[in-house]
């Protein structure tokens, strides 16, 4: 595996691969890699001859008072894992190289209104930061295919929409959420959980499963279900940001014709903010 921190060097490599007729797969990450990230890498590998993983903790997507400074950074362990999992290139640019004008971008990519609901309502500007860095990374890497985790369901929807609206020639693929044996979705931020909180954390997924069961049984009083989910989380010790049932395709409240819903939740537990979701095919009434 080659580690590259300069855009021109990366472009040179990609040019050579393309000239040899090789497809390029891309997995953007912020590092602190876990099994979830590695499953994205495997998927990219299945779809392309070459795989580039970027590690860049993107300051644009963190709000004031959020965890940019303390976001877990473990470059040696990440590099070792990527090597073992046959990554071709690790792209790990500095903030100064990605945003040479003092860590900011004059151009901001904003996917509205998708970026302003759910997590976007709680973290204003977050998805603009995500869309801006992913657009820039797509421009740098110019991949054929890029893989993102479905755990960040709204992020995936924002990136798909941005790619479509800007007619970027990249196939965006969503990869299933990887979970611990007790159901907790893998996340770099799980490292923030104290031992007692780690015991409680799987109750988030259990709550999503409970609401999914209700939906499959034919319940359609979404607001009542959302309230119940919120109460369950509070009783377990979470501080919920939201529990929401949406159309899985549009992320809008489900209409009468909705055939697949997604139950999404975000909640704070100690120093961690956990998000998760579960898709549900709605039976015909
Ligand atoms: O999901 C992440 O790790 C980040 O939001 C991403 C997509 C790498 C953009 O910084």
């Amino acid at each position: 595996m080659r580690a590259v921190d300069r855009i021109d060097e990366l472009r040179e490599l990609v040019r050579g691969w393309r000239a040899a007729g090789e497809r390029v797969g891309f997995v953007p990450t912020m590092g602190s890699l876990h099994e979830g990230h590695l499953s994205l890498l495997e998927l990219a590998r299945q779809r392309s001859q070459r795989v580039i993983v970027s590690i860049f903790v993107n300051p644009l997507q963190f709000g004031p008072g959020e965890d940019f400074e303390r976001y877990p950074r473990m470059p040696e362990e990440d590099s070792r894992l990527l090597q073992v999992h046959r990554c071709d290139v690790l792209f790990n640019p500095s903030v100064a190289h990605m945003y040479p004008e003092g860590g900011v971008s004059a151009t901001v990519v904003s996917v509205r209104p998708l970026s302003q609901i759910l997590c976007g309502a709680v973290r204003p500007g977050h998805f603009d930061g995500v869309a801006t860095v992913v657009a820039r990374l797509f421009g740098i890497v110019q991949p054929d295919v890029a893989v993102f985790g479905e755990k960040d369901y709204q992020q995936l929807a924002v990136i798909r929409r941005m790619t479509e609206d800007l007619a970027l020639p990249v196939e965006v693929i969503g990869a299933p959420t990887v979970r611990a044996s007790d159901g907790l979705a893998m996340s770099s931020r799980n490292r923030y959980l104290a031992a007692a909180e780690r015991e409680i954390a799987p109750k988030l997924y259990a709550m999503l499963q409970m609401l999914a069961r209700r939906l499959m049984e034919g319940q359609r009083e979404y607001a009542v279900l959302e309230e119940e989910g919120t109460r369950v989380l509070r009783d377990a010790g979470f501080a919920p940001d939201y529990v929401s049932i949406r159309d899985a395709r549009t992320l809008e409240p489900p209409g009468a014709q909705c055939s697949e819903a997604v139950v999404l939740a975000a909640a704070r537990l100690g120093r961690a903010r956990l998000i998760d979701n579960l898709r549900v095919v709605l039976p015909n009434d």
Side-chain angles (χ1 to χ4, degrees):
M1 184 187 72
R2 191 153 154 186
V4 172
D5 60 7
R6 298 203 53 82
I7 294 170
D8 50 0
E9 191 185 345
L10 186 76
R11 285 218 167 113
E12 185 70 36
L13 273 170
V14 173
R15 214 173 290 132
W17 293 340
R18 285 207 184 293
E22 293 178 317
R23 268 171 68 83
V24 179
F26 179 42
V27 181
T29 81
M30 297 206 299
S32 187
L33 303 177
H34 50 70
E35 281 173 57
H37 293 113
L38 299 175
S39 76
L40 309 184
L41 199 162
E42 292 308 325
L43 204 53
R45 168 68 63 204
Q46 286 166 22
R47 302 292 189 105
S48 47
Q49 282 80 39
R50 299 290 185 169
V51 179
I52 299 173
V53 174
S54 65
I55 295 185
F56 179 65
V57 184
N58 171 38
L60 299 191
Q61 68 189 75
F62 291 81
E66 288 191 349
D67 57 345
F68 174 68
E69 299 298 342
R70 66 186 171 96
Y71 194 84
R73 289 163 173 87
M74 27 195 45
E76 284 89 19
E77 177 60 5
D78 285 350
S79 174
R80 192 192 65 76
L81 280 173
L82 292 177
Q83 193 114 32
V84 171
H85 288 265
R86 299 187 305 121
C87 169
D88 292 287
V89 167
L90 160 60
F91 179 52
N92 55 352
S94 64
V95 171
H97 194 53
M98 279 294 276
Y99 303 121
E101 288 178 20
V104 293
S105 174
T107 301
V108 174
V109 181
S110 194
V111 183
R112 292 182 189 159
L114 202 49
S115 285
Q116 295 166 316
I117 57 173
L118 302 167
C119 281
V122 184
R123 303 181 67 192
H126 167 67
F127 289 116
D128 290 357
V130 171
T132 302
V133 77
V134 172
R136 185 156 164 74
L137 287 166
F138 280 2
I140 293 168
V141 177
Q142 301 185 10
D144 295 290
V145 44
V147 188
F148 297 85
E150 284 175 356
K151 193 204 69 130
D152 297 297
Y153 196 88
Q154 188 178 3
Q155 168 173 284
L156 178 59
V158 165
I159 291 167
R160 279 194 204 285
R161 190 59 202 263
M162 173 199 76
T163 307
E164 199 179 307
D165 286 357
L166 300 182
L168 304 177
V170 182
E171 185 190 356
V172 174
I173 296 180
T177 302
V178 177
R179 298 181 181 282
S181 55
D182 59 9
L184 177 65
M186 298 276 179
S187 164
S188 304
R189 287 188 168 100
N190 290 350
R191 292 177 207 272
Y192 295 154
L193 295 169
E197 291 157 358
R198 177 62 189 79
E199 298 277 300
I200 297 169
K203 295 189 177 175
L204 178 61
Y205 183 52
M207 181 279 295
L208 297 178
Q209 288 177 305
M210 176 197 74
L211 294 193
R213 268 194 309 273
R214 297 278 164 82
L215 289 169
M216 284 188 291
E217 285 161 10
Q219 283 206 33
R220 294 292 178 269
E221 285 164 309
Y222 300 122
V224 173
L225 293 174
E226 289 165 355
E227 246 171 61
E228 188 180 345
T230 306
R231 196 171 48 245
V232 166
L233 288 183
R234 263 202 205 103
D235 290 350
F238 291 86
D241 279 343
Y242 63 82
V243 174
S244 191
I245 300 168
R246 298 287 168 122
D247 185 311
R249 210 172 39 82
T250 61
L251 282 185
E252 284 169 12
Q257 303 304 317
C258 175
S259 57
E260 189 178 14
V262 57
V263 191
L264 305 117
R268 290 166 203 280
L269 186 59
R271 290 194 314 141
R273 181 176 183 275
L274 305 179
I275 60 172
D276 202 350
N277 67 84
L278 191 55
R279 270 186 290 163
V280 191
V281 175
L282 298 179
N284 292 329
D285 292 328

